[in-house]
Amino acid sequence: MNVIEELRATVGAAHVLTEGDLSAWELDWRKRWRGKALAVVRPGSTAEVAAAVRACAAAGTAIVPQGGNTGLVGGGVPDDSGRQVLLSLQRLNRIRAVDAANLTLTAEAGCVLQTLQTAAAEQGLLLPLSLAAEGSCTIGGNLATNAGGTQVLRWGNTRELCLGLEVVTAAGEVWDGLSGLRKDNTGYDLRDLFIGSEGTLGIITAATIKLAPQPAATTTALAACATLQDCVALLGLARSRLGAGLTGFEVMNAFSLELVAKHFPALPRPLPGAPWTVLLEQSDTEGEQQARVRFEALLEAALEAGHVHDAAVAESLAQSRALWHLRESIPLAQAEEGLNIKHDISVPVSRIPAFVAQCDAALQRRWPGVRLVDFGHLGDGNLHYNVQAPAGADGARFMAEHEHAVNTVVFDCVAEHGGSFSAEHGIGSLKRGELALRKHPVALKLMRGIKAALDPQGLLNPGRVV
Amino acid sequence: MNVIEELRATVGAAHVLTEGDLSAWELDWRKRWRGKALAVVRPGSTAEVAAAVRACAAAGTAIVPQGGNTGLVGGGVPDDSGRQVLLSLQRLNRIRAVDAANLTLTAEAGCVLQTLQTAAAEQGLLLPLSLAAEGSCTIGGNLATNAGGTQVLRWGNTRELCLGLEVVTAAGEVWDGLSGLRKDNTGYDLRDLFIGSEGTLGIITAATIKLAPQPAATTTALAACATLQDCVALLGLARSRLGAGLTGFEVMNAFSLELVAKHFPALPRPLPGAPWTVLLEQSDTEGEQQARVRFEALLEAALEAGHVHDAAVAESLAQSRALWHLRESIPLAQAEEGLNIKHDISVPVSRIPAFVAQCDAALQRRWPGVRLVDFGHLGDGNLHYNVQAPAGADGARFMAEHEHAVNTVVFDCVAEHGGSFSAEHGIGSLKRGELALRKHPVALKLMRGIKAALDPQGLLNPGRVV
C-alpha cells in the first residue's frame, strides 16, 4: 500500500482528500502562500492522528499540521511540491470537560476559540484569550503559535493559559500530558516546548486551559498624551492604581487615528489632535459604577501629574465598544489608504519611546515623507509599527521596492533596544531567514538539537521555524 | 594539567576548594545527603562558569550545580564518589539592572531571593516570589527547581515570573537569553526548558524576573468550614468576588491546629474546633479599609450560603501576621510531635475533597489510628499531606518501617485523581525512582531524548531527574 492508501485505511477514504478544490487548506487566508498537498487528511480522533503520523513516518512523508488556517507567517499551508500531507485537526472538535471548581476547560485541538469562550461563559467563566481571528482560529493553532491578542497585559499569552497538553509525537506515539494542575514539578517542561513550536516538534491534539471568573464589569477610557514617554508614565500609574484590574492598554499615534477619520468619517473622534491616544480597559469584580469612579480618580491624578492633557471615560457599554471599534479600525483604514509594510515587534516597555524616536528618524532619513502607523499593545511592549508610503506615492510599488530594506532598518533598531522581530505572530516560513540571522547562535544550536532529538526524520512541518 | 589544575587556572586557586570542611556544600541543610566532591569550584562570572564547564567537559568530569543549598530532594549535593565537581553559583551575586518602567529585575543566579525582594521594594515594587528559605535560597536555585511558595495563587510559580535567562550549556557556551519582553515568539521556548530542569540541561547564570507594583494593603481573614467541599466552595466565591485581589488561600485541618495548640500553647486559637480552617489573604490596590470591607462582604455571603460557620477578619497588620504565624507553625509543631512522613502533592482543586476522603480512608484501613496533618495551598491544589504515626507510637520507627508503603498508598491515590507526586519540590535524587515509575512513558522518552541532545556526555548533574 502506498501512503495515501494507508491513510485512507486509517482515517476513512472520505477524510483523505486529493481531488477538487483544496484551497481551503492549501491557500492561507490572506492569500500569500498557495501550496499543493499530496493529500488533505482529516483524522477524527487522537488515535487516528497518531496512526496517520505513523503511516507518514513509515513512508518518509512530511506532514504540515493545520488548525483554522488563520496564521500570518505561512506556517500552516503545504509547500508546492505536492509531496506533503496536510493534516487538518478540524474534526478533533470536542470539548472534553469544563471543571468550574478547578477553573479549567479541556478541549481538542480543532475547537474554534470562540466556541470555547462561549462554553466557558455559559458557566459564568472567562477564557481570557481573545484575538481578531477568534471566530475561526482553533485552540490547537493558538497553542502551536503561542498566540497573543488583546488580553495579554492581564492574562499572558496562550502559553500562560495552558496547564497541560495531549501531543502526538513524530514517532506517532501519544503523550497524555493533559493536566488540571497549577503545580507539578515532575521533570522537564515538555508542555511549553510544544507550545509555540508551530507543529515542528509534535502535533497538539488536546489541551487543558485555565479559566477565570467573569468580571462584574468591563469599562474603557481614552487619554490624550503629548509624548510616548507620557504614555509609559500613565501605564505605570494605571498599573499601581488598578493592579490586575487593568486589562488593556493600547496606544495609537495621531496618524493612525487620522487615517481612521479619513476613511471612516462616521466614527467618533473623542480626543482629536492628540499626538498619542491611549485606550485603557478595566475589568472589575464589583461593578461598573465602582470601575468608573476608579478610572476617574486615575485620570485626574494623571492630569495633575501632567502625563495626560485630556481624557474621557466611557459612560456605557456602547461607548466602550465604540472606543475599541476605533482601535480595531486602524488596520482597515490602513488597507484603504494602500498597501503598507507591517511589523509585529516588541521591546521592553521602558524603551518604547527611545525605540520609536530612533526608528522613526532612521526611516525618515532614508525615505523622506514616509508615514508611520504606530499602534499596539503598549502594556506588553508590543507595537504594530507599520510603514506606509509617503503621501501620494504608490503603496504597492513602495512595498515591492523597499520592504526588505525597511524591515532591515526596523529590525536592526529593534535589536538595538533588546527587542523581538516577532512578538506574537511566530516564525513560520516568512521569518525563518530572519530567525537564522538574528537569533543568538547558541539558541539556534540548542533549537536544532531539540528538533533533531524530537523529530529525527525531519517530517514535522519541515521548512518552518528552524 | 589535570582538571583541578585547569579549574584553578580558570577561576583562581582561592576558589577551588579541595581540603578542609566542605560540608557547607557537600551536606544538604536537612542533613539527609552527604556527598564528597572532587572539588568545590566557585566561579565569579558567567565567563568563568563557562570556562569551568569546558574544563570539566574536556576531562569527562561531572558537575553538580548548587545555589543556596536549600533544596529538599537531594538535587544539589554531589554523590559520595569524590569524582563530581560541585559548582557553586554563590559568587555570581550582582543585580545587573532594575527597570521600574518595564517592571523587571535582572540578577545573577547566586543572588539570595530576599536580597532581590528588598531591591524591588526599594523602588516601590514587589518581587512576588516568597518561600520559607528566602533568606538563603538563590534565584538560580529557585529557577532550576521552579520553586512555588505562598504567592502562587496570584502570581504563579517561579516559571511564570521569569522573562529570560542566561545559561551556560553543557558544551560551555553561553546562551544570552536575557529578555525584558512579555511577548517574543521567535522559536522554541528554551527558557522554560531550563527552568525546572534542576541543573541537568544547563547552568542558569542570570535571569530577568517580572516585578509588580506593591499593593497598598495586605490583609488576612480566617474562616471555619465544616468540610473540604465547603472550603472549595469558599475558594470559588472568593475568586469571583476578589479576583486577583485574592493572593492566598491556605487550608488547615483540625489536627494540624491541635498540634500547634499543644506544642505552642501561647499562640492564639481564633476559631477553635473547626474541622477545617481557611486562611485567606487579600492584597488591595486601594487600602486596608477597602480590603476589610470587601472581606466582610465576602464572608457574610459565605456564611449565608452555608460554606462557612464562623469567620474573623484581621484588624491590624499584627493580627494578620499572627494568623500567618499559626499556619507557619504547623511544620514546627509536627516536628515537636515526632518524625512524620511528608508529602508535597497536588490534584485539581475540584478533586481535593474526594482525594482526601479516599486517601484518609485507605491509610486508616492499613494503619489504624494514623494521624493526618492536612494543610497547604488549597488555592493551587497543593497539599502537604503529612502522615504522623498513631498516638503513642514511635514516630521514627513508624517512619522507618512504613514510609515506602505509605508513599505508595498516597501516590497511587494522587495518580487516581490526576495529580502530581511532586508539586513544588522537584525530583532531585529523592524522587527519581518515582518519576521513572509514574511519569507517562512517552514523556519519559521525550525527556531522555532532550537530555541526550543537550548534554550528550551526561555530565550535568547526573543521577538527577531522568
Side-chain angles (χ1 to χ4, degrees):
Chain A
M1 279 206 289
N2 70 23
V3 67
I4 291 185
E5 285 163 1
E6 283 276 7
L7 289 166
R8 282 188 180 128
T10 300
V11 306
H15 301 300
V16 179
L17 315 177
T18 55
E19 316 225 324
D21 180 10
L22 300 179
S23 59
W25 298 277
E26 290 178 338
L27 176 66
D28 80 296
W29 70 282
R30 286 173 74 196
K31 300 188 169 52
R32 292 198 290 178
W33 292 273
R34 177 186 291 279
K36 173 78 197 105
L38 175 66
V40 171
V41 179
R42 306 178 73 229
S45 67
T46 300
E48 286 187 9
V49 173
V53 170
R54 288 196 299 273
C56 289
T61 300
I63 299 171
V64 179
Q66 188 184 85
N69 192 15
T70 62
L72 295 166
V73 290
V77 289
D79 67 19
D80 56 10
S81 67
R83 293 161 76 169
Q84 300 185 324
V85 160
L86 187 291
L87 192 138
S88 166
L89 279 298
Q90 281 174 311
R91 288 181 61 228
L92 271 76
N93 60 2
R94 285 187 316 131
I95 296 177
R96 293 195 190 162
V98 181
D99 182 343
N102 195 44
L103 292 176
T104 50
L105 175 151
T106 301
E108 293 180 347
C111 290
V112 169
L113 176 55
Q114 203 167 63
T115 308
L116 301 184
Q117 292 167 340
T118 305
E122 279 166 6
Q123 309 227 11
L125 299 172
L126 176 73
L127 194 165
L129 176 65
S130 179
L131 46 113
E134 61 197 23
S136 52
C137 65
T138 61
I139 191 68
N142 299 146
L143 288 157
T145 59
N146 187 29
T150 59
Q151 301 285 297
V152 175
L153 178 66
R154 168 64 183 99
W155 298 105
N157 299 285
T158 306
R159 179 186 310 289
E160 281 81 47
L161 298 176
C162 180
L163 291 177
L165 293 178
E166 179 187 87
V167 173
V168 171
T169 69
E173 295 185 302
V174 179
W175 168 47
D176 177 0
L178 291 174
S179 161
L181 303 177
R182 263 113 189 133
K183 279 181 168 177
D184 180 17
N185 278 344
T186 54
Y188 303 153
D189 184 10
L190 301 172
R191 176 190 68 203
D192 287 315
L193 190 58
F194 287 114
I195 295 174
S197 70
E198 304 184 29
T200 64
L201 298 179
I203 300 173
I204 295 168
T205 51
T208 303
I209 305 291
K210 281 191 230 173
L211 306 176
Q214 286 276 6
T218 300
T219 53
T220 60
L222 275 193
C225 297
T227 67
L228 261 180
Q229 194 59 58
D230 286 330
C231 300
V232 171
L234 175 62
L235 174 65
L237 200 62
R239 276 185 148 142
S240 81
R241 287 187 161 239
L242 306 181
L246 183 69
T247 48
F249 196 96
E250 302 279 314
V251 73
M252 304 164 271
N253 74 346
F255 180 60
S256 62
L257 289 176
E258 279 161 26
L259 279 187
V260 173
K262 174 176 171 192
H263 296 287
F264 306 107
L267 291 183
R269 277 194 92 174
L271 304 172
W276 297 91
T277 304
V278 174
L279 170 61
L280 300 100
E281 185 189 82
Q282 188 188 172
S283 298
D284 195 80
T285 53
E286 292 179 276
E288 207 166 313
Q289 184 53 30
Q290 186 69 25
R292 214 170 292 136
V293 167
R294 224 178 270 137
F295 252 155
E296 274 156 16
L298 163 70
L299 292 167
E300 211 164 287
L303 278 158
E304 254 174 51
H307 306 323
V308 160
H309 59 260
D310 200 1
V313 178
E315 291 189 5
S316 64
L317 192 60
Q319 275 195 11
S320 274
R321 284 203 181 125
L323 297 185
W324 269 112
H325 188 57
L326 270 185
R327 157 70 181 81
E328 283 154 6
S329 300
I330 295 172
L332 306 170
Q334 267 199 285
E336 293 291 321
E337 185 72 7
L339 275 180
N340 56 85
I341 304 169
K342 293 189 195 303
H343 299 108
D344 164 40
I345 60 96
S346 63
V347 296
V349 171
S350 53
R351 301 184 73 163
I352 281 194
F355 160 77
V356 169
Q358 184 184 332
C359 202
D360 281 12
L363 291 167
Q364 291 297 348
R365 263 198 309 277
R366 183 132 168 214
W367 296 281
V370 79
R371 296 171 302 166
L372 296 161
V373 185
D374 286 1
F375 69 101
H377 320 295
L378 181 66
D380 315 317
N382 177 199
L383 291 182
H384 297 298
Y385 183 88
N386 296 344
V387 179
Q388 200 107 25
D394 177 339
R397 189 167 154 194
F398 182 81
M399 190 163 170
E401 283 175 6
H402 303 298
E403 183 168 20
H404 183 72
V406 166
N407 287 346
T408 301
V409 168
V410 173
F411 295 157
D412 283 353
C413 200
V414 164
E416 260 186 71
H417 290 274
S420 167
F421 61 90
S422 185
E424 54 178 9
H425 296 165
I427 300 299
S429 52
L430 179 67
K431 294 186 180 170
R432 196 179 171 216
E434 236 31 90
L435 187 84
L437 198 71
R438 295 182 181 275
K439 196 80 183 178
H440 194 282
V442 176
L444 283 175
K445 204 187 282 187
L446 292 168
M447 286 190 215
R448 287 174 186 142
I450 290 165
K451 170 71 175 175
L454 265 51
D455 178 23
Q457 288 183 273
L459 297 179
L460 292 178
N461 220 3
R464 273 59 176 232
V465 189
V466 290
Chain B
M1 277 206 289
N2 69 23
V3 67
I4 291 185
E5 285 164 2
E6 284 275 7
L7 290 166
R8 283 189 180 126
T10 300
V11 307
H15 300 300
V16 178
L17 315 178
T18 55
E19 316 225 325
D21 180 10
L22 301 180
S23 58
W25 298 277
E26 290 178 338
L27 177 65
D28 81 296
W29 71 281
R30 286 173 73 196
K31 302 188 170 47
R32 292 197 290 179
W33 291 273
R34 179 186 290 280
K36 174 77 199 107
L38 176 66
V40 171
V41 179
R42 305 177 74 229
S45 67
T46 300
E48 286 187 8
V49 174
V53 170
R54 288 195 300 272
C56 289
T61 299
I63 299 170
V64 179
Q66 189 184 86
N69 192 15
T70 62
L72 295 167
V73 291
V77 288
D79 66 20
D80 56 9
S81 68
R83 296 160 77 167
Q84 300 185 324
V85 161
L86 187 291
L87 192 139
S88 167
L89 279 299
Q90 282 174 312
R91 288 180 62 228
L92 272 76
N93 60 2
R94 285 187 314 130
I95 295 176
R96 294 195 189 161
V98 181
D99 182 342
N102 196 44
L103 291 176
T104 51
L105 175 152
T106 301
E108 293 178 347
C111 290
V112 170
L113 176 53
Q114 203 166 63
T115 308
L116 302 184
Q117 292 167 342
T118 306
E122 277 165 7
Q123 309 228 11
L125 300 173
L126 176 74
L127 194 165
L129 175 65
S130 178
L131 45 113
E134 62 198 24
S136 53
C137 65
T138 61
I139 191 69
N142 299 147
L143 289 158
T145 59
N146 186 31
T150 58
Q151 301 284 298
V152 175
L153 178 67
R154 168 64 182 97
W155 298 105
N157 300 285
T158 306
R159 180 187 308 291
E160 280 81 45
L161 298 176
C162 180
L163 291 176
L165 293 178
E166 179 187 87
V167 173
V168 172
T169 69
E173 296 186 301
V174 179
W175 168 47
D176 178 0
L178 291 173
S179 160
L181 304 177
R182 265 121 187 124
K183 280 182 168 177
D184 180 18
N185 279 343
T186 54
Y188 303 154
D189 183 10
L190 301 172
R191 175 190 70 203
D192 287 315
L193 190 57
F194 288 114
I195 294 175
S197 70
E198 302 184 30
T200 64
L201 298 179
I203 300 172
I204 295 170
T205 51
T208 303
I209 305 290
K210 283 191 229 174
L211 305 176
Q214 286 276 5
T218 301
T219 54
T220 59
L222 276 194
C225 297
T227 67
L228 262 179
Q229 193 59 58
D230 286 330
C231 300
V232 172
L234 174 62
L235 174 65
L237 199 64
R239 276 185 149 141
S240 82
R241 284 185 163 241
L242 307 180
L246 182 69
T247 50
F249 197 96
E250 302 281 314
V251 74
M252 303 164 272
N253 74 344
F255 179 60
S256 63
L257 289 176
E258 279 161 28
L259 279 186
V260 172
K262 176 178 170 189
H263 296 287
F264 306 108
L267 291 183
R269 277 192 92 175
L271 303 173
W276 296 92
T277 305
V278 174
L279 171 60
L280 300 101
E281 185 188 83
Q282 187 187 172
S283 297
D284 195 80
T285 54
E286 291 178 276
E288 208 167 312
Q289 185 51 32
Q290 186 70 25
R292 214 169 294 136
V293 167
R294 225 178 269 138
F295 252 155
E296 275 156 16
L298 163 69
L299 292 167
E300 210 164 290
L303 278 158
E304 254 174 54
H307 307 322
V308 160
H309 59 260
D310 200 0
V313 178
E315 291 190 5
S316 64
L317 193 57
Q319 277 195 9
S320 275
R321 284 204 182 126
L323 296 186
W324 269 111
H325 187 58
L326 270 187
R327 157 69 179 82
E328 282 154 6
S329 300
I330 296 173
L332 306 170
Q334 268 198 285
E336 292 291 322
E337 186 71 7
L339 275 179
N340 56 84
I341 304 167
K342 293 189 195 302
H343 299 109
D344 164 41
I345 59 95
S346 63
V347 296
V349 172
S350 52
R351 300 184 74 164
I352 280 194
F355 160 77
V356 169
Q358 184 183 332
C359 202
D360 280 12
L363 291 168
Q364 290 297 348
R365 262 198 309 277
R366 183 133 168 212
W367 295 282
V370 80
R371 296 171 303 165
L372 296 161
V373 185
D374 286 4
F375 68 102
H377 320 295
L378 181 66
D380 316 318
N382 178 197
L383 290 182
H384 297 299
Y385 184 87
N386 296 347
V387 179
Q388 200 106 25
D394 177 341
R397 188 166 156 196
F398 182 81
M399 191 163 169
E401 284 175 5
H402 303 298
E403 183 168 20
H404 183 73
V406 165
N407 287 346
T408 302
V409 169
V410 173
F411 295 158
D412 283 353
C413 201
V414 164
E416 260 186 69
H417 290 275
S420 167
F421 60 90
S422 186
E424 55 179 8
H425 297 164
I427 299 300
S429 53
L430 179 67
K431 295 187 180 170
R432 196 181 174 215
E434 230 42 81
L435 187 84
L437 198 70
R438 295 181 181 276
K439 196 80 181 178
H440 194 283
V442 175
L444 283 174
K445 201 186 284 188
L446 292 167
M447 286 190 215
R448 288 176 185 139
I450 290 165
K451 170 72 174 172
L454 265 50
D455 179 21
Q457 289 183 271
L459 297 178
L460 290 179
N461 218 5
R464 273 59 177 230
V465 189
V466 289

